[in-house]
Amino acid sequence: IIELLYGGAKGGAKSYTGCNWEIEMCGTYPGVNYFVARKELNDLRKYTLPSFIEVFEKNNLKFDDYCKFNGQDSIINFYNGSKIHMIACKHLPSDPMFERFGSIQMTGGWLEEASEIPVDAKVNLLASIGRWKNLDYKIPRKLLYTANPKKNFLKSEFVNPLKQNKLDKDKAYIQAFVYDNLPYIGQDYVNNLEKLTGINRQRLLKGDWDYENDPTNLISYDSILNLYTNDYVKGGDKY
């Protein structure tokens, strides 16, 4: 498996899982390069960095005993030479194809809140992994996606093909629910999710990727996406 989507409902330990994986890899293999990417760099610093620190604390370890955060370059530097780079995937008019990621050489990576990340950014970051010390340590290249349901490339590349038994052999999807995270998450948090209604309940509690933005839509969003790929329209012109 090269690409792994882990997600669905809120509270399923998505961020903790991503942080734990990268810490274990960087702590085990000296000199490797991993990245965590999100739309906004500030969100990584405010919300994801504390999750990295939490993983150390949950294991009765001190963050500063093993690594140091370089705020200027937004890199977690491990004392064995390994690094976790924080990467912003915000769309820039000067770089619409995200070619700025073309020269990056990474061992592996993680797209946090991947539903916010443009597909072109994903494509370029996927091409960056497997390029740094993978052969030295025999580490398979791996890209982790964590996300809540959204109708974008995650649904069309992972969720829909899995339902149709057509998922590529190098991809996998693991559904996450808040109930899977008990008792490590507070019951009050679960109770708040259970009070959600409508689309928010479908997405954030049930982890449903087939939620409808508008029940009055004449054509479903998936059908629109499949206009040029469906195989059930026989003959005729396509526009």
Side-chain angles (χ1 to χ4, degrees):
I1 302 300
I2 298 173
E3 298 176 74
L4 172 63
L5 169 60
Y6 178 73
K10 286 185 69 67
K14 298 184 296 298
S15 296
Y16 190 92
T17 299
C19 292
N20 193 75
W21 171 56
E22 294 203 331
I23 288 171
E24 287 193 5
M25 297 304 291
C26 289
T28 302
Y29 301 101
V32 294
N33 279 341
Y34 279 78
F35 71 80
V36 53
R38 195 167 173 174
K39 182 179 179 181
E40 300 284 351
L41 181 60
N42 198 39
D43 288 340
L44 286 169
R45 297 164 65 100
K46 288 195 302 183
Y47 306 123
T48 309
L49 179 59
S51 294
F52 278 108
I53 297 173
E54 180 189 11
V55 170
F56 281 96
E57 293 175 346
K58 291 288 186 181
N59 289 278
N60 297 316
L61 302 172
K62 293 183 178 179
F63 179 86
D64 292 336
D65 287 345
Y66 294 87
C67 50
K68 185 177 181 179
F69 179 63
N70 182 329
Q72 182 174 353
D73 297 326
S74 298
I75 298 175
I76 299 175
N77 291 295
F78 285 71
Y79 293 139
N80 65 357
S82 294
K83 300 177 185 294
I84 298 176
H85 302 254
M86 293 185 174
I87 297 176
C89 293
K90 184 177 181 178
H91 179 270
L92 299 177
S94 60
D95 184 26
M97 301 299 291
F98 294 89
E99 294 174 317
R100 60 186 181 274
F101 299 150
S103 61
I104 295 177
Q105 298 184 66
M106 294 289 169
T107 311
W110 165 31
L111 302 189
E112 167 75 313
E113 299 295 345
S115 58
E116 301 176 353
I117 294 177
V119 65
D120 287 333
K122 181 270 293 189
V123 169
N124 281 278
L125 288 172
L126 177 60
S128 77
I129 64 172
R131 300 180 61 188
W132 191 260
K133 292 189 178 294
N134 295 76
L135 293 178
D136 295 346
Y137 293 121
K138 296 182 173 58
I139 300 175
R141 61 192 184 103
K142 198 80 64 180
L143 185 61
L144 172 67
Y145 306 86
T146 55
N148 298 122
K150 188 174 181 180
K151 297 180 185 295
N152 65 353
F153 72 90
L154 296 174
K155 187 173 189 295
S156 61
E157 293 185 13
F158 289 88
V159 181
N160 290 348
L162 180 62
K163 290 181 178 180
Q164 301 164 2
N165 293 318
K166 295 180 179 179
L167 187 62
D168 292 344
K169 63 180 180 180
D170 60 354
K171 294 181 180 179
Y173 168 48
I174 300 175
Q175 174 80 57
F177 296 101
V178 66
Y179 304 106
D180 300 330
N181 203 16
L182 291 171
Y184 303 106
I185 195 167
Q187 186 61 47
D188 286 343
Y189 185 88
V190 178
N191 293 341
N192 284 334
L193 287 180
E194 290 177 338
K195 292 177 182 178
L196 294 173
T197 60
I199 291 173
N200 287 332
R201 182 178 180 84
Q202 287 180 269
R203 294 180 59 246
L204 305 180
L205 176 65
K206 297 184 176 181
D208 185 3
W209 296 79
D210 293 319
Y211 66 91
E212 288 293 343
N213 289 326
D214 184 352
T216 64
N217 283 344
L218 294 177
I219 304 175
S220 73
Y221 184 77
D222 286 343
S223 296
I224 294 172
L225 289 180
N226 289 333
L227 278 172
Y228 296 97
T229 59
N230 71 72
D231 56 5
Y232 49 83
V233 177
K234 307 301 181 182
D237 296 329
K238 295 182 180 181
Y239 299 94

